[in-house]
Amino acid sequence: MRDSSTPTSQAATPPGDFTRAEVSLFLGKNPWQSHGVPRARTVLKDIAKDPSRTMIVIDPVRTETADLADIHLHVKPGTDAWCLAGLLGVLVQEDLLDHAFLTARTNGAATVIEQLKTVDVARCARTCGVDEDLVRQAARVVGTASNVSTYEDLGVQQGPNSTLVSYLNKLTWLLTGNFAKPGAMQPHSWIAPLARYSTSPRRTPVTGARMPGGLVPCNVITEEILTDHPDRFRAMIIESSNPAHSLADSAAFAKALAALDLVVVIDIALTETVRQADYVLPAASQFEKWEATFFTFEFPTTPSTCAPRSSTRCPAPCPNPRSTPASSANWTPAPAAG
């Protein structure tokens, strides 16, 4: 099922409007420590003390966020997919769906719904180690709320069945119509031009590896270089990355770098990759230049600060140009320095 109201290039998960959400669901995510939500701790405390709002956490660990939650689905490690399947089973089997939204804004929903009608909720609950009544309670809260926002993070994205978990998470807010309205999931204001989605994705010229979002998988780059293929990679521009150290089989990647006709690296540090570059563009760190500092990329606003330009050295002690509160307005690029 695909939400037809957004471009297919919308490859990443939309952000949630947790400031106004009636229900906030955190999946493998502990915003109290990892943030990801503007004013995370303030927002979490506001949700926790508001009796009209509900926080649901799916996590095998009792995190600080789970301590604040109204419902903690304390799953066994690696069973998040079963927990989400159980939630979706309840939503469909008890008809807690937004049929008007699904008819107007999605394609293929009927196929998904038919599959979810067959979900054995009790079995899913047993598999993930959560009481079935609690799974059903959480699903009913989601299905009857006026708006819902969800947030999945590395706790599930780097765990078992991560792609399935991400898909099931998206179904929780799509099937309930929680998209593009206050308190719900919102379209990205920045990522869409950077990635493309297609059911017939591009492939790399040598190995034929799939390029999700138009991106070359890191672990095939070496094979795309160390070959006599006429379309092999011949040059690389590497920015703020150290693949000669961080990629799998770094020795082979270092050999591939040496085989390229041109290597340009942009970085602030003298890394292993920089040492093999033909040209190095030594970038300035955030403490050495006049620029905007982005805290988050949120829809519809982007909080940011911009340090004033100065052509003279600050006296000691140097005044802090970021001492005033960050503004919350759509960012407009500053004029280029002359």
Short mmCIF file of all heavy atoms in Angstrom, two decimals, residues 7-8 25 47 55-56 61 70 86 95 101 107 110 129 172 200 222 224-225 244-245 256 264 273 279 283 328 330:
data_model
loop_
_atom_site.label_atom_id
_atom_site.label_comp_id
_atom_site.label_asym_id
_atom_site.label_seq_id
_atom_site.Cartn_x
_atom_site.Cartn_y
_atom_site.Cartn_z
N PRO A 7 4.61 12.42 -3.02
CA PRO A 7 5.41 11.93 -4.13
C PRO A 7 6.07 10.60 -3.79
O PRO A 7 6.40 10.33 -2.64
CB PRO A 7 6.46 13.04 -4.32
CG PRO A 7 5.97 14.20 -3.56
CD PRO A 7 5.09 13.69 -2.49
N THR A 8 6.30 9.77 -4.80
CA THR A 8 6.98 8.51 -4.55
C THR A 8 8.42 8.72 -4.15
O THR A 8 9.07 7.82 -3.65
CB THR A 8 6.93 7.63 -5.81
OG1 THR A 8 7.43 8.37 -6.91
CG2 THR A 8 5.51 7.19 -6.10
N LEU A 25 3.37 7.32 19.90
CA LEU A 25 3.89 5.94 19.97
C LEU A 25 5.37 5.95 19.63
O LEU A 25 5.76 6.38 18.54
CB LEU A 25 3.11 5.03 19.01
CG LEU A 25 3.34 3.52 19.13
CD1 LEU A 25 2.14 2.76 18.55
CD2 LEU A 25 4.60 3.07 18.42
N ILE A 47 3.28 15.50 27.69
CA ILE A 47 2.39 14.40 27.33
C ILE A 47 2.03 13.59 28.57
O ILE A 47 0.86 13.24 28.80
CB ILE A 47 3.05 13.48 26.28
CG1 ILE A 47 3.30 14.23 24.97
CG2 ILE A 47 2.19 12.25 26.03
CD1 ILE A 47 4.13 13.45 23.96
N MET A 55 0.76 8.17 25.89
CA MET A 55 2.07 7.80 25.36
C MET A 55 2.20 6.28 25.40
O MET A 55 1.97 5.66 26.44
CB MET A 55 3.20 8.44 26.16
CG MET A 55 4.58 8.23 25.55
SD MET A 55 5.95 8.74 26.66
CE MET A 55 5.46 10.41 27.11
N ILE A 56 2.54 5.70 24.26
CA ILE A 56 2.76 4.25 24.14
C ILE A 56 4.21 4.02 23.76
O ILE A 56 4.72 4.64 22.82
CB ILE A 56 1.84 3.63 23.08
CG1 ILE A 56 0.36 3.89 23.42
CG2 ILE A 56 2.09 2.13 22.94
CD1 ILE A 56 -0.59 3.50 22.32
N VAL A 61 13.37 -2.65 26.76
CA VAL A 61 14.05 -2.02 27.89
C VAL A 61 13.12 -0.99 28.54
O VAL A 61 12.40 -0.27 27.83
CB VAL A 61 15.35 -1.33 27.42
CG1 VAL A 61 16.04 -0.63 28.60
CG2 VAL A 61 16.28 -2.35 26.77
N ASP A 70 2.07 5.82 29.36
CA ASP A 70 0.81 5.27 29.90
C ASP A 70 0.73 3.78 29.63
O ASP A 70 0.17 3.02 30.42
CB ASP A 70 -0.37 5.99 29.24
CG ASP A 70 -0.36 7.48 29.49
OD1 ASP A 70 -0.74 7.89 30.59
OD2 ASP A 70 0.05 8.22 28.58
N GLY A 86 0.11 -7.66 15.89
CA GLY A 86 -1.03 -7.79 16.79
C GLY A 86 -1.84 -6.52 16.87
O GLY A 86 -3.08 -6.54 16.84
N ASP A 95 -12.38 -2.97 13.12
CA ASP A 95 -12.75 -1.91 12.18
C ASP A 95 -12.49 -0.50 12.76
O ASP A 95 -13.35 0.38 12.74
CB ASP A 95 -14.22 -2.03 11.77
CG ASP A 95 -14.52 -1.22 10.51
OD1 ASP A 95 -13.56 -0.93 9.76
OD2 ASP A 95 -15.69 -0.88 10.30
N PHE A 101 -10.24 8.14 4.45
CA PHE A 101 -8.86 8.43 4.09
C PHE A 101 -8.30 7.36 3.16
O PHE A 101 -7.66 7.68 2.15
CB PHE A 101 -8.00 8.52 5.36
CG PHE A 101 -6.53 8.70 5.10
CD1 PHE A 101 -5.98 9.96 4.91
CD2 PHE A 101 -5.68 7.60 5.02
CE1 PHE A 101 -4.61 10.12 4.66
CE2 PHE A 101 -4.32 7.75 4.77
CZ PHE A 101 -3.79 9.01 4.60
N ASN A 107 -3.66 3.57 -2.37
CA ASN A 107 -3.88 2.53 -3.35
C ASN A 107 -3.54 1.18 -2.72
O ASN A 107 -2.56 1.06 -1.97
CB ASN A 107 -2.98 2.73 -4.58
CG ASN A 107 -3.29 4.02 -5.31
OD1 ASN A 107 -4.46 4.37 -5.47
ND2 ASN A 107 -2.26 4.72 -5.73
N ALA A 110 -7.11 -2.44 0.27
CA ALA A 110 -7.97 -3.61 0.46
C ALA A 110 -7.16 -4.89 0.59
O ALA A 110 -7.48 -5.76 1.40
CB ALA A 110 -8.96 -3.72 -0.70
N GLY A 129 5.58 -11.62 24.06
CA GLY A 129 5.66 -11.61 25.51
C GLY A 129 4.87 -10.51 26.19
O GLY A 129 5.15 -10.16 27.34
N THR A 172 0.32 1.53 10.86
CA THR A 172 -0.45 1.97 12.03
C THR A 172 -1.01 3.37 11.85
O THR A 172 -2.11 3.67 12.29
CB THR A 172 0.39 1.92 13.32
OG1 THR A 172 1.50 2.82 13.22
CG2 THR A 172 0.89 0.51 13.61
N SER A 200 11.11 -0.14 -10.08
CA SER A 200 12.19 -0.63 -10.94
C SER A 200 13.44 0.18 -10.65
O SER A 200 13.83 1.06 -11.43
CB SER A 200 11.80 -0.51 -12.42
OG SER A 200 10.64 -1.26 -12.71
N THR A 222 33.85 -1.36 -3.82
CA THR A 222 35.15 -1.93 -4.19
C THR A 222 35.06 -2.71 -5.49
O THR A 222 35.91 -2.55 -6.40
CB THR A 222 35.67 -2.83 -3.06
OG1 THR A 222 35.89 -2.05 -1.89
CG2 THR A 222 36.98 -3.49 -3.46
N GLU A 224 32.92 -2.33 -7.81
CA GLU A 224 32.59 -1.43 -8.92
C GLU A 224 33.83 -0.69 -9.42
O GLU A 224 33.81 -0.07 -10.48
CB GLU A 224 31.54 -0.40 -8.46
CG GLU A 224 30.20 -0.99 -8.03
CD GLU A 224 29.40 -1.53 -9.20
OE1 GLU A 224 29.58 -1.04 -10.34
OE2 GLU A 224 28.58 -2.45 -8.99
N ILE A 225 34.92 -0.75 -8.66
CA ILE A 225 36.17 -0.07 -9.03
C ILE A 225 37.21 -1.04 -9.55
O ILE A 225 37.82 -0.82 -10.62
CB ILE A 225 36.73 0.70 -7.81
CG1 ILE A 225 35.77 1.80 -7.36
CG2 ILE A 225 38.11 1.31 -8.15
CD1 ILE A 225 36.15 2.45 -6.04
N ALA A 244 37.78 4.36 4.10
CA ALA A 244 38.98 3.55 4.14
C ALA A 244 39.17 2.91 5.52
O ALA A 244 39.97 1.99 5.68
CB ALA A 244 40.21 4.39 3.80
N HIS A 245 38.42 3.39 6.49
CA HIS A 245 38.48 2.83 7.84
C HIS A 245 37.18 2.15 8.25
O HIS A 245 37.19 1.12 8.91
CB HIS A 245 38.81 3.93 8.85
CG HIS A 245 38.82 3.47 10.28
ND1 HIS A 245 37.68 3.48 11.07
CD2 HIS A 245 39.81 2.96 11.05
CE1 HIS A 245 37.97 3.01 12.26
NE2 HIS A 245 39.25 2.69 12.28
N ALA A 256 41.09 -0.16 -3.65
CA ALA A 256 40.22 0.41 -4.67
C ALA A 256 40.43 1.91 -4.80
O ALA A 256 40.45 2.45 -5.92
CB ALA A 256 38.76 0.10 -4.32
N VAL A 264 38.76 12.95 -4.37
CA VAL A 264 38.65 14.25 -3.71
C VAL A 264 37.94 14.03 -2.38
O VAL A 264 36.87 13.42 -2.34
CB VAL A 264 37.86 15.27 -4.56
CG1 VAL A 264 37.74 16.60 -3.81
CG2 VAL A 264 38.53 15.46 -5.91
N THR A 273 41.21 8.01 4.89
CA THR A 273 40.76 8.30 3.53
C THR A 273 41.42 9.55 3.00
O THR A 273 41.84 9.60 1.83
CB THR A 273 39.23 8.45 3.50
OG1 THR A 273 38.63 7.28 4.07
CG2 THR A 273 38.72 8.62 2.07
N TYR A 279 43.20 15.15 -3.93
CA TYR A 279 42.93 16.52 -3.51
C TYR A 279 42.16 16.47 -2.20
O TYR A 279 41.22 15.69 -2.05
CB TYR A 279 42.11 17.28 -4.55
CG TYR A 279 42.85 17.51 -5.85
CD1 TYR A 279 42.71 16.61 -6.91
CD2 TYR A 279 43.68 18.62 -6.02
CE1 TYR A 279 43.39 16.80 -8.11
CE2 TYR A 279 44.36 18.82 -7.21
CZ TYR A 279 44.21 17.92 -8.24
OH TYR A 279 44.89 18.11 -9.43
N ALA A 283 37.72 21.31 5.19
CA ALA A 283 36.56 22.09 5.62
C ALA A 283 36.76 22.63 7.02
O ALA A 283 37.53 22.11 7.82
CB ALA A 283 35.31 21.21 5.57
N SER A 328 11.84 29.84 15.51
CA SER A 328 11.13 28.71 14.91
C SER A 328 10.40 29.20 13.68
O SER A 328 9.22 29.49 13.71
CB SER A 328 10.15 28.09 15.91
OG SER A 328 10.85 27.52 16.99
N ASN A 330 10.48 29.01 9.10
CA ASN A 330 11.04 28.35 7.93
C ASN A 330 12.36 29.01 7.57
O ASN A 330 12.43 30.24 7.44
CB ASN A 330 10.07 28.43 6.75
CG ASN A 330 8.90 27.51 6.95
OD1 ASN A 330 9.04 26.46 7.57
ND2 ASN A 330 7.75 27.89 6.45
#
